[in-house]
Amino acid sequence: MSQADFRGAASVAVGDVQLRGNFRRAMDGLMEKRAAQFTDADEEGRLRALGESIRSRSLARLPELLEKLEASCKRNGIQVHWAETTADANQTVMDILKNRGARTLVKGKSMVSEEMELNHFLEAEGIEALESDLGEYIIQLAGEMPSHIVMPVIHRNTGQIAELMEQKIEGAPYTEDADELCQIARKVLREKFYRADAGVSGVNFAVAETGTLCLVENEGNGRMSTTAPRTHIAVMGIEKVVEHLQDVPPLLSLLTRSATGQHITTYFNMISSPRRPGEVDGPEEVHLVLLDNGRSRIVSDPELKATLRCIRCGACMNHCPVYTRVGGHAYQAVIPGPIGKILTPQLQGLDERGDLPFGSTLCNACVEVCPVKIPIVELLLRLRAEANSPTGDSSVKGSGAKRDKTEALLWSGWQRMHASGKLYNSLSRVLAKTGNLAPGFMPPLSGWTATRTKPRFASQTLHQLARKRGVPDE
Amino acid sequence: MSEQHRSRIMERLRTGVPPTAPVESDFSVISEKQWPLSERLLRLRQRLESVNGRVHECGRDAWVAELQKLLAGRKLKALMYAPGTEVGDELDESWDRSDSALPALLPALEPDTDIRERVFQAEAAVTGTLGGIADTGSLMLWPTAKEPRLMSLAPPLHIALLDADRIYNTFWEAINQQRWAEDMPTNALLISGPSKTADIEQQLSYGVHGPRELIVLIRS
Ligand code: SF4
């Protein structure tokens, strides 16, 4: 795979007027809706503090809570599997499907399954895996990645979706009526829910105390995928566990209000076991796949572990001036936006995605809205420092990968110059005389001057000017 | 395979996760949400209506008559219900089977037939609820062997019966007062309106996978 390049992809995206319009409109709407939910600053502050405490507690006790979750699930009849890497998780899903003789499956929305690239994997194995969330279904038709974690197809407008559905769905007429488009999808997917051998879902919260898997959704496709087929496989990152059932309501409230400005979503689906004796619907088997894929490393760092508090509400991207202008695809990552910029480099390594932490203005808008108060800006700075680490001996994967010898030399020179008054004075005098001779059209200055005017050195240094005015020179 | 992965992951976590001071959680921001019954009812109603739910209030023994009034003239052929539940038994007792303008009652379960087949074809279903939540406008459902999970999901019209005195302030209050954590059912649900999506350019559309319509009868 060629090296991902946020900077390059972002400059292309910025030039796409249609795309920028699509995102601008959508993000403005989402910000407004969130603001309407949090009109009481005191309530907002206390609820976010509560959310933060719940997620911090979960992470602080992660080993113990995972064991508890496993025990509770087993007691309820849910089969638990552990996977260290995404490849392991895919294989686990495949083994379950084989065991059950399943050839077709329907999927609810799940970011972890995107991280696993589960669909690609299953397709290669001859399994039909159909996304059933409307947005996910549409991007699957288009062969695209989600561009937002809550609204996967936000990058397309209605006309673009109408065209795609007309092309890809047999017998579908061209229509720009959203209701009609939904009904076309409903018809196709109904049939699939009815016939699919297995359902795959993600997990929003897993409750250790009771062995309960919680799913948040509006459409009902998640309930369909976890109720109609004979087998249900849930995939989750190990960080998603919470201690008590009573920890769930505050997180649910923070999640839906921050994400889309809803008091709550249409469905909150809590699954605690497979079908019990006497019951007539629901899967006969429920499997839970716990994926690590680098999370156990992240949680070991006292500062970076805050990354794993995330409840995937998407508010940070909705409020991000960079995300709104470049859209989700420019990040070339499963999770875009501010949270993606701190999570992706930690999961994939700074050697692969060390570009991401640098693509930020550090404006703090994300931090101000994050419902679990992740200090995203501090973590961006930490990862920048990690990427430039001279030793590279840290727990962060790929630490030091971005270190550039020339740059490091330049900065050490800078440091020396500022430490000595003599050196500083003579160098600044030289630059005042000759600095403007440096050609702006050539590197390194061309990187700056390509889109900005060239800054000019003044003919006299600040020290010289001050002396002329009689400011005593110490 | 899973076993080895488990032990390696757990090993990393046990050695890696730094010890921290215990973290306390203060739930007062939720527990202090308390409203008198009349306001709980009003809130639930407003919240549900704001997401296209339809709410009707009626007397304790008048709900079947109210439902008949609502369904007369809707040209439904059948209404799926769950015999043997409280709601089902009351329907059985009071449903006017002679009125041809009303749908016939269709039992959810038939021996030797797959519930999926029946419920995917049903036009409407009526279920009970465990209670409601004022804060979010939600219904709580614990489907059972007699009243299966798909009844509140597959048919285009879902009708739910709610007792006004079972409207809690918050979800948090309900799970604590009803002691859910002690014994969770196979599936517990919060339902807050009909199925919806805004995935197509943020335009709200109802009935994408689940019911297009939700009617809530509140009896008090
Ligand atoms: S980092 Fe915070 S704001 Fe962003 S998705 Fe996660 S929880 Fe939401």
Side-chain angles (χ1 to χ4, degrees):
Chain A
M1 205 177 86
S2 64
Q3 182 90 7
D5 168 27
F6 178 53
R7 185 186 282 254
S11 353
V12 176
V14 164
D16 185 337
V17 180
Q18 170 83 63
L19 187 83
R20 282 182 65 165
N22 293 355
F23 274 97
R24 180 80 267 170
R25 264 192 312 280
M27 297 308 116
D28 282 349
L30 288 166
M31 283 193 286
E32 222 171 87
K33 285 190 194 139
R34 180 196 173 275
Q37 279 290 338
F38 293 105
T39 46
D40 177 346
D42 173 64
E43 193 255 3
E44 179 191 351
R46 288 163 66 204
L47 190 62
R48 286 172 70 199
L50 173 57
E52 179 195 4
S53 76
I54 291 170
R55 291 297 300 136
S56 299
R57 174 157 44 85
S58 307
L59 294 175
R61 308 181 56 184
L62 193 55
E64 175 195 336
L65 292 186
L66 283 170
E67 277 178 337
K68 198 158 176 195
L69 175 69
E70 182 184 40
S72 303
C73 283
K74 281 189 174 161
R75 193 184 59 225
N76 299 348
I78 296 176
Q79 301 177 45
V80 180
H81 312 262
W82 300 71
E84 285 194 277
T85 65
T86 55
D88 300 330
N90 283 328
Q91 195 52 52
T92 305
V93 172
M94 192 59 218
D95 291 344
I96 298 168
L97 294 174
K98 265 198 199 131
N99 252 326
R100 300 286 289 160
R103 311 286 316 159
T104 57
L105 64 86
V106 279
K107 276 187 62 201
K109 202 169 142 20
S110 148
M111 292 317 292
V112 165
S113 74
E114 297 279 353
E115 181 181 334
M116 290 157 61
E117 296 187 57
L118 179 64
N119 292 355
H120 284 154
F121 173 84
L122 291 178
E123 252 166 56
E125 299 277 334
I127 302 277
E128 180 194 285
L130 193 73
E131 294 289 348
S132 63
D133 170 89
L134 182 66
E136 294 279 346
Y137 171 69
I138 294 169
I139 57 167
Q140 191 177 33
L141 286 178
E144 292 173 338
M145 285 223 295
S147 58
H148 188 281
I149 60 173
V150 176
M151 311 238 157
V153 69
I154 202 80
H155 56 286
R156 284 177 172 255
N157 62 20
T158 313
Q160 293 168 320
I161 292 170
E163 233 168 76
L164 178 77
M165 286 179 64
E166 185 201 16
Q167 276 169 18
K168 299 276 174 152
I169 302 172
E170 221 182 280
Y174 182 90
T175 169
E176 292 192 10
D177 183 299
D179 277 325
E180 284 174 24
L181 289 168
C182 287
Q183 291 309 311
I184 294 171
R186 175 182 169 114
K187 230 175 117 206
V188 176
L189 288 164
R190 272 264 148 160
E191 183 64 23
K192 302 286 182 183
F193 288 130
Y194 187 64
R195 306 216 177 278
D197 301 321
V200 168
S201 77
V203 175
N204 288 96
F205 320 110
V207 185
E209 168 183 48
T210 56
T212 302
L213 313 177
C214 305
L215 287 165
V216 179
E217 58 149 346
N218 277 308
E219 296 184 2
N221 68 304
R223 282 185 66 197
M224 282 283 186
S225 306
T226 57
T227 311
R230 288 176 52 228
T231 307
H232 168 208
I233 306 170
V235 290
M236 68 175 246
I238 51 171
E239 83 279 21
K240 285 267 175 260
V241 65
V242 297
E243 188 172 8
H244 299 298
L245 195 64
Q246 73 155 352
D247 290 333
V248 168
L251 294 179
L252 174 62
S253 176
L254 284 166
L255 174 59
T256 64
R257 291 163 73 190
S258 305
T260 48
Q262 301 180 88
H263 296 292
I264 191 167
T265 48
T266 298
Y267 299 115
F268 186 58
N269 181 7
M270 310 175 83
I271 298 163
S272 301
S273 80
R275 185 190 298 196
R276 291 180 196 176
E279 294 175 348
V280 297
D281 62 1
E284 293 149 12
E285 284 190 10
V286 177
H287 297 261
L288 175 64
V289 181
L290 296 166
L291 173 67
D292 181 345
N293 194 33
R295 290 165 172 82
S296 55
R297 195 179 51 231
I298 300 175
V299 83
S300 306
D301 185 291
E303 187 183 18
L304 292 170
K305 75 185 219 186
T307 315
L308 297 180
R309 293 211 289 260
C310 176
I311 56 172
R312 302 285 188 271
C313 72
C316 54
M317 50 201 82
N318 299 347
H319 290 74
C320 177
V322 176
Y323 176 89
T324 304
R325 282 164 183 80
V326 303
H329 287 154
Y331 296 79
Q332 299 166 310
V334 169
I335 300 190
I339 177 65
K341 277 182 224 174
I342 56 172
L343 181 63
T344 310
Q346 295 185 71
L347 291 181
Q348 294 184 15
L350 285 161
D351 39 354
E352 267 184 46
R353 294 316 307 268
D355 56 329
L356 286 174
F358 293 88
S360 169
T361 65
L362 309 178
C363 76
N364 218 43
C366 49
V367 179
E368 278 166 26
V369 295
C370 175
V372 286
K373 299 170 68 170
I374 300 174
I376 297 174
V377 167
E378 280 167 40
L379 301 189
L380 282 167
L381 289 172
R382 164 77 191 280
L383 289 171
R384 288 181 184 185
E386 286 285 348
N388 278 305
S389 158
T391 52
D393 63 346
S394 110
S395 66
V396 185
K397 197 173 162 203
S399 172
K402 285 257 146 194
R403 191 166 177 84
D404 176 334
K405 285 226 180 73
T406 326
E407 192 185 332
L409 206 69
L410 224 72
W411 283 117
S412 75
W414 177 269
Q415 189 181 18
R416 225 171 313 136
M417 176 177 135
H418 280 77
S420 141
K422 252 196 210 125
L423 208 58
Y424 181 89
N425 267 331
S426 51
L427 214 71
S428 55
R429 243 174 279 139
V430 172
L431 283 174
K433 292 244 153 50
T434 60
N436 288 328
L437 298 176
F441 59 88
M442 266 168 58
L445 282 187
S446 58
W448 179 266
T449 56
T451 50
R452 304 170 189 88
T453 48
K454 186 180 153 193
R456 297 192 60 81
F457 286 96
S459 56
Q460 291 182 316
T461 70
L462 186 65
H463 282 248
Q464 289 170 329
L465 287 173
R467 216 169 296 130
K468 268 196 191 150
R469 298 212 172 172
V471 179
D473 197 2
E474 317 258 309
Chain B
M1 187 173 80
S2 177
E3 260 313 301
Q4 287 167 18
H5 290 219
R6 181 189 191 282
S7 54
R8 280 200 295 260
I9 295 170
M10 288 306 296
E11 176 63 25
R12 274 199 296 274
L13 290 175
R14 272 204 207 92
T15 51
V17 174
T20 39
V23 186
E24 297 294 328
S25 296
D26 172 9
F27 287 86
S28 62
V29 63
I30 295 185
S31 63
E32 71 192 21
K33 284 192 185 178
Q34 298 282 340
W35 302 286
L37 179 61
S38 60
E39 209 184 318
R40 292 206 292 276
L41 184 64
L42 188 70
R43 263 178 192 265
L44 176 112
R45 189 181 176 128
Q46 283 171 345
R47 295 280 200 252
L48 270 168
E49 284 173 346
S50 74
V51 289
N52 239 16
R54 297 207 312 176
V55 180
H56 298 272
E57 289 172 53
C58 53
R60 181 153 298 276
D61 300 314
W63 74 271
V64 179
E66 178 76 21
L67 181 59
Q68 293 189 153
K69 221 167 59 201
L70 288 171
L71 295 186
R74 281 191 65 139
K75 298 210 175 71
L76 290 174
K77 282 206 274 303
L79 174 64
M80 183 174 264
Y81 79 120
T85 61
E86 192 197 331
V87 171
D89 289 345
E90 287 184 34
L91 271 173
D92 253 337
E93 215 178 280
S94 329
W95 193 253
D96 184 355
R97 289 179 166 85
S98 63
D99 188 344
S100 62
L102 287 176
L105 288 184
L106 173 77
L109 307 179
E110 266 305 307
D112 302 321
T113 57
D114 183 354
I115 173 74
R116 284 197 299 179
E117 204 169 304
R118 295 169 68 75
V119 80
F120 268 75
Q121 277 164 20
E123 298 165 281
V126 54
T127 71
T129 62
L130 211 65
I133 296 163
D135 186 30
T136 51
S138 310
L139 307 172
M140 299 185 281
L141 275 81
W142 281 19
T144 59
K146 287 181 182 148
E147 197 183 80
R149 291 157 73 165
L150 286 167
M151 274 180 81
S152 60
L153 180 64
L157 168 61
H158 175 209
I159 300 151
L161 186 68
L162 169 66
D163 286 323
D165 52 12
R166 292 213 190 163
I167 301 175
Y168 292 82
N169 291 290
T170 59
F171 181 32
W172 183 84
E173 181 188 76
I175 59 175
N176 281 320
Q177 281 188 13
Q178 294 192 354
R179 299 164 171 272
W180 284 27
E182 285 171 19
D183 192 13
M184 286 293 278
T186 305
N187 187 214
L189 295 163
L190 300 188
I191 297 181
S192 315
S195 151
K196 64 178 182 289
T197 186
D199 274 348
I200 299 178
E201 222 182 312
Q202 296 215 284
Q203 301 167 80
L204 206 50
S205 231
Y206 291 95
V208 57
H209 293 299
R212 187 191 252 290
E213 249 187 294
L214 172 70
I215 298 178
V216 183
L217 294 173
I218 304 180
R219 55 174 183 180
S220 47

